[in-house]
Amino acid sequence: PLLYLNEVLIQKEKCFKSIAHLSREFPLKVNNLLPLLDLFPSSPRVDKVREIFRMVPENYFPVKIEVPVFPTVTATISFEKFSTSLSNVDDLFSIPVDYTIV
């Protein structure tokens, strides 16, 4: 027998916005960052960040992302003062002249 014949269920949905600030001039592209996100264990919050990064067009990089964590708390991920030191790439992979095999 049904005990709760007149039970009324109420379901509320709230939508929260995520904001991504994109740049074409950033030294990296979103494809460079996606493999790094795969290193993090799966969780609802990491999956949400991963989903946002996958929606970014290939020519852009998200320099700032705002993701709601709780209704009153927003997490901000930003990339600032990024620089590449790849001016001497040949020096990184060359054997020094004073190197000897022992």
Side-chain angles (χ1 to χ4, degrees):
L2 295 174
L3 298 177
Y4 299 102
L5 291 176
N6 296 328
E7 182 178 354
V8 177
L9 297 177
I10 298 173
Q11 181 176 353
K12 293 182 181 181
E13 286 188 26
K14 292 185 178 183
C15 294
F16 298 102
K17 284 195 290 190
S18 296
I19 300 172
H21 303 260
L22 306 177
S23 172
R24 283 188 188 161
E25 286 83 30
F26 201 74
L28 293 176
K29 299 300 175 203
V30 73
N31 293 340
N32 302 118
L33 192 63
L34 286 174
L36 293 176
L37 288 175
D38 292 335
L39 297 175
F40 290 97
S42 183
S43 74
R45 291 181 183 95
V46 173
D47 292 343
K48 187 70 170 173
V49 172
R50 203 177 277 134
E51 177 186 338
I52 292 170
F53 274 96
R54 287 198 174 108
M55 292 186 327
V56 173
E58 290 182 11
N59 297 343
Y60 292 88
F61 189 84
V63 291
K64 184 177 180 182
I65 296 177
E66 298 173 9
V67 182
V69 180
F70 298 108
T72 58
V73 178
T74 301
T76 302
I77 303 166
S78 62
F79 295 86
E80 298 176 5
K81 299 180 185 178
F82 181 85
S83 67
T84 58
S85 60
L86 297 178
S87 59
N88 297 327
V89 175
D90 295 333
D91 294 340
L92 290 174
F93 301 105
S94 63
I95 300 173
V97 291
D98 59 342
Y99 179 78
T100 57
I101 299 175
V102 180

